[in-house]
Amino acid sequence: MIKQLAENNLTQTGTLKQEYLDFIDTLKTQGFKGDLNPDYANRVVLSTDNSIYQILPQGVLYPRNIDDLVLIAKLSNESQFKDIVLSPRGGGTGTNGQSLTDGLVVDISRHMNTILEINEEERWVRVQTGVVKDQLNKALKPYGLFFAPELSTSNRATIGGMINTDASGQGSVLYGKTRDHVLELNSVFLDGTEWLSKPISDDELAQIKQRDDRVGEAHRIADQIFNEQQALIEAKFPKLNRCLTGYDLAHIRDDSGQFNLNSILCGAEGSLAFITEAKLNVLPIPKFSALVNIQYGSFNDALRDAKDLMDWNPTSIETVDSKVLNLAMNDIIWDTVATYYPKTTGPEGEEQQIAGINLVEYTGDDEAELDAKLTKLTAHLDSISGSEGKSFAYTIAKGAGEIGKIWTMRKKAV
Ligand SMILES: Cc1cc2nc3c(=O)[nH]c(=O)nc-3n(C[C@H](O)[C@H](O)[C@H](O)COP(=O)(O)OP(=O)(O)OC[C@H]3O[C@@H](n4cnc5c(N)ncnc54)[C@H](O)[C@@H]3O)c2cc1C
């Protein structure tokens, strides 16, 4: 990577612009408490994320607290710094280069990563947005609770990144997307205004729209677009479960008709505000779980069958291709799960190669109910086993410990 950057003539100091150095110096004199890093090492490290792109920033800012973010935002609003470009960053696991910039990366994950409050009774948490998803679920486990939106990068993706990409993955059929679990957001807008957003009444909206800051402007514009373009939004927005990253104008009013700016902030990819804190809905950990490992001779067969398997009402289905599988097989972690992928032979004694898997998970609080669902699925699998385009074998893992090993294998492989 470094070689590539050097070949692109990105020399150690060559690209640093004076206005950025001035911006960083001014932050220092105005009492910025976090770290200010225009050095080459920090810039190179944060010039990549999980995408194919590389963009060398002018520097990296690591805010220590909300005041630091207010300072950054206010200063960037002053006329001599109007060309300064800022990009918030969490764990840097985005696959589209969303956190990359040739301006300043504002990395919220280094210092702003505290779980502020867990309310077991009312089932919510309040966190700083640099908190990592696995960190949160580890803290929630003793309370028998979990934050439901899931993704393979859960050991490094932050809540801020999840909110800004409206992340969802395994289990989304049942649990929905990150936005479905956001109760309130604390943000710093680009004029330095701090704001707590949650569903509001029309009277509150009317009052907020009178404000002459960015918050007032955001509410005015969002409300105007919704009122004027409602028919077009309804006609054009695709009706998808996953919806889309971007400004979700279709849901700016919730089911009860309340205006909720969080519909726009979630999925905004850091383009509207620094999200500093979030109050999130959390759920009880299901008491029982089972994972059916269904094996196929081709990835396409697994992919096609995943759609049919939805008829058996699982909590989640994850299709794994042979590339991921081969990576896992060559990793030390394979020993912990190999028992679920035994060698099998076909009708003429030939060894059957696994080239695709569907991981079909069931969860619930009633063991008998869960077993009944499993019985129905396995009866179906037995009846079609070996048919054209169908699976040739399956195994079942039961309990959080065993199932956890398989998900760890899957996550490690990607
Ligand atoms: C192997 C792999 C598997 C993945 N699986 C999934 C999946 O199943 N589902 C899924 O949804 N995604 C998935 N992703 C994508 C990625 O992990 C998610 O988008 C994740 O939520 C990003 O979190 P992050 O903390 O790494 O954010 P970053 O990549 O750092 O940032 C993502 C965006 O959020 C913005 N941002 C981050 N923090 C803040 C903040 N506090 N305030 C304002 N803006 C902010 C950034 O500017 C950027 O636009 C996967 C990625 C990889 C590499």
Side-chain angles (χ1 to χ4, degrees), residues 29-100:
T29 56
Q30 291 194 357
F32 188 85
K33 298 277 188 311
D35 313 319
L36 300 166
N37 286 91
D39 56 279
Y40 191 58
N42 273 278
R43 292 166 63 211
V44 167
V45 170
L46 295 198
S47 68
T48 60
D49 58 359
N50 254 316
S51 70
I52 56 167
Y53 307 110
Q54 294 180 347
I55 303 175
L56 194 67
Q58 292 286 308
V60 186
L61 315 179
Y62 299 96
R64 193 162 296 276
N65 50 35
I66 295 180
D67 288 348
D68 277 353
L69 286 167
V70 170
L71 204 56
I72 293 171
K74 276 195 173 147
L75 197 60
S76 73
N77 217 25
E78 289 183 9
S79 58
Q80 76 268 33
F81 295 124
K82 68 177 176 10
D83 293 332
I84 294 284
V85 176
L86 302 166
S87 182
R89 179 171 172 125
T93 67
T95 47
N96 311 311
Q98 303 103 306
S99 65
L100 305 183

Side-chain angles (χ1 to χ4, degrees), residues 211-414:
R211 295 171 63 111
D212 60 2
D213 55 14
R214 282 286 178 115
V215 168
E217 192 184 359
H219 284 79
R220 278 194 299 279
I221 292 175
D223 193 42
Q224 185 188 356
I225 293 174
F226 183 77
N227 290 335
E228 290 177 2
Q229 308 294 342
Q230 210 170 338
L232 196 60
I233 292 167
E234 176 66 21
K236 292 285 178 196
F237 268 47
K239 307 274 180 286
L240 301 171
N241 285 344
R242 172 67 170 85
C243 201
L244 64 164
T245 300
Y247 306 133
D248 187 3
L249 295 161
H251 295 99
I252 187 120
R253 287 203 176 251
D254 63 21
D255 292 344
S256 64
Q258 286 200 300
F259 183 95
N260 189 353
L261 196 70
N262 292 342
S263 296
I264 306 289
L265 290 171
C266 293
E269 297 194 340
S271 61
L272 295 180
F274 296 113
I275 314 278
T276 57
E277 291 175 10
K279 182 176 170 185
L280 306 166
N281 174 46
V282 290
L283 299 173
I285 298 171
K287 288 198 181 77
F288 302 100
S289 49
L291 185 71
V292 189
N293 303 272
I294 310 178
Q295 295 146 40
Y296 301 80
S298 93
F299 175 57
N300 279 343
D301 288 348
L303 212 51
R304 274 193 211 101
D305 204 29
K307 197 162 167 279
D308 294 346
L309 290 170
M310 288 300 293
D311 292 346
W312 274 264
N313 299 319
T315 307
S316 71
I317 300 182
E318 182 99 353
T319 306
V320 180
D321 65 21
S322 57
K323 190 164 190 174
V324 168
L325 209 57
N326 286 333
L327 282 170
M329 281 173 178
N330 289 318
D331 192 285
I332 192 162
I333 203 164
W334 187 252
D335 286 345
T336 63
V337 298
T339 176
Y340 294 107
Y341 307 100
K343 286 197 183 347
T344 56
T345 48
E348 279 150 36
E350 76 285 6
E351 191 180 321
Q352 289 169 304
Q353 299 295 333
I354 309 173
I357 296 177
N358 276 320
L359 300 173
V360 180
E361 185 164 18
Y362 288 94
T363 56
D365 290 335
D366 182 330
E367 194 170 16
E369 206 175 284
L370 188 135
D371 281 343
K373 284 185 185 169
L374 269 185
T375 305
K376 276 191 191 160
L377 174 68
T378 52
H380 162 70
L381 293 175
D382 290 338
S383 72
I384 48 104
S385 179
S387 316
E388 180 73 23
K390 294 294 177 187
S391 59
F392 56 74
Y394 66 86
T395 59
I396 300 174
K398 279 195 162 182
E402 284 304 294
I403 293 171
K405 287 180 194 169
I406 295 169
W407 287 126
T408 305
M409 172 276 287
R410 151 83 180 120
K411 286 183 180 183
K412 198 166 178 211
V414 296

Side-chain angles (χ1 to χ4, degrees), residues 155-206:
N155 64 356
R156 50 208 190 278
T158 62
I159 298 301
M162 291 184 72
I163 290 168
N164 275 278
T165 56
D166 199 12
S168 71
Q170 184 232 332
S172 61
V173 175
L174 187 67
Y175 298 123
K177 314 167 293 295
T178 297
R179 181 187 327 154
D180 301 321
H181 302 269
V182 166
L183 301 174
E184 293 174 6
L185 294 178
N186 247 82
S187 306
V188 173
F189 279 68
L190 280 180
D191 59 354
T193 314
E194 276 187 70
W195 189 249
L196 176 83
S197 46
K198 56 184 179 181
I200 51 171
S201 68
D202 281 350
D203 284 348
E204 287 169 304
L205 175 61

